[in-house]
């Protein structure tokens, strides 16, 4: 921005004449640039991400190890389900899992987001929104017309996040452990 040096402090009602403007010294002010923000890349998860994914999932209360994550990624991919990661500075900082199922009562497959997590320090920066967009794009490409989200009752902040994105509470999901 350029500000005439002799106009500082001048009342807004007075205007300099042409002659005085020509002889005016101009002071250059530089705006400080914000530090560069490294972009977040959303991509499909690969086996090499297993350790980082396990580290993201454990704080959610699940006991999981990298070798199990690697095996589950492969099993999910075989049936068309996908996991996407958010990567910043070559480090995985978030993930989302998707699945699609054909049901008899709907004309198209139903997509599901069954898990999403973003590192706590990275939340509030649009990363979750970008992960959901990638999941929706993938599910739309697989023919899904509806996307559901499953989330534990105690994750109330996650529920508010999904509601801000336009998800609505439409049903109750009940579960039963078959290994008891």
């Amino acid at each position: 921005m350029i500000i005439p040096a002799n106009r500082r402090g001048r009342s807004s009602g007075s205007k300099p004449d042409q002659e005085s403007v020509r002889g005016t010294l101009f002071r250059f002010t530089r705006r400080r640039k914000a530090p560069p923000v490294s972009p977040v890349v959303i991509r499909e998860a690969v086996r090499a991400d297993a350790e980082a994914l396990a580290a993201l999932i454990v704080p959610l209360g699940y006991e999981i190890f990298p070798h199990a994550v690697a095996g589950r990624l492969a099993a999910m991919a075989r049936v068309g389900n996908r996991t996407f990661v958010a990567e910043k500075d070559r480090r995985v900082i978030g993930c989302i899992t998707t699945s699609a199922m054909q049901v008899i009562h709907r004309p198209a497959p139903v997509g599901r987001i069954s898990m999403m997590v973003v590192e706590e320090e990275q939340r509030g920066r649009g990363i979750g929104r970008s992960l959901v967009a990638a999941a929706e794009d993938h599910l739309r490409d697989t023919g899904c017309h509806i996307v559901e989200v499953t989330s534990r009752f105690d994750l109330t902040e996650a529920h508010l996040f999904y509601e801000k994105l336009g998800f609505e509470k439409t049903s109750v999901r009940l579960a039963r452990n078959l290994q008891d």
Side-chain angles (χ1 to χ4, degrees):
M1 174 171 17
I2 302 172
I3 301 171
N6 69 344
R7 288 191 57 194
R8 287 176 290 172
R10 189 183 291 264
S11 71
S12 62
S14 63
K15 293 183 181 178
D17 62 7
Q18 285 285 50
E19 215 39 56
S20 64
V21 171
R22 275 191 209 122
T24 300
L25 297 173
F26 287 91
R27 178 175 58 102
F28 292 89
T29 59
R30 295 179 190 234
R31 290 186 180 167
R32 291 185 182 188
K33 291 184 179 180
V37 176
S38 61
V40 173
V41 175
I42 306 296
R43 62 170 175 78
E44 194 164 329
V46 295
R47 183 179 183 85
D49 296 323
E51 189 171 333
L53 291 171
L56 284 170
I57 296 167
V58 167
L60 295 177
Y62 299 99
E63 187 175 329
I64 190 152
F65 300 97
H67 68 277
V69 171
R72 292 175 191 170
L73 281 173
M76 290 174 64
R78 281 193 297 274
V79 295
N81 298 334
R82 299 288 182 259
T83 299
F84 296 94
V85 297
E87 185 179 69
K88 183 176 181 180
D89 298 327
R90 296 183 163 218
R91 190 172 65 82
V92 173
I93 58 171
C95 68
I96 193 166
T97 60
T98 67
S99 59
M101 62 182 168
Q102 185 64 59
V103 294
I104 199 165
H105 64 284
R106 297 209 184 268
V110 175
R112 179 172 285 171
I113 295 170
S114 56
M115 187 206 61
M116 184 181 76
V117 62
V118 173
E119 280 184 351
E120 194 167 344
E121 322 65 72
Q122 300 294 331
R123 293 179 188 160
R125 298 178 183 185
I127 297 164
R129 182 180 298 269
S130 295
L131 284 165
V132 169
E136 288 179 337
D137 287 346
H138 165 69
L139 293 167
R140 187 179 298 107
D141 290 347
T142 63
C144 295
H145 291 186
I146 294 174
V147 178
E148 301 175 335
V149 174
T150 60
S151 181
R152 291 192 331 238
F153 284 118
D154 60 322
L155 300 175
T156 54
E157 286 185 32
H159 305 168
L160 294 172
F161 167 78
Y162 288 117
E163 288 173 4
K164 284 181 186 175
L165 294 182
F167 287 85
E168 299 173 352
K169 293 178 183 174
T170 60
S171 61
V172 173
R173 182 174 65 108
L174 305 170
R176 181 174 174 179
N177 191 338
L178 296 177
Q179 302 207 349
D180 289 342

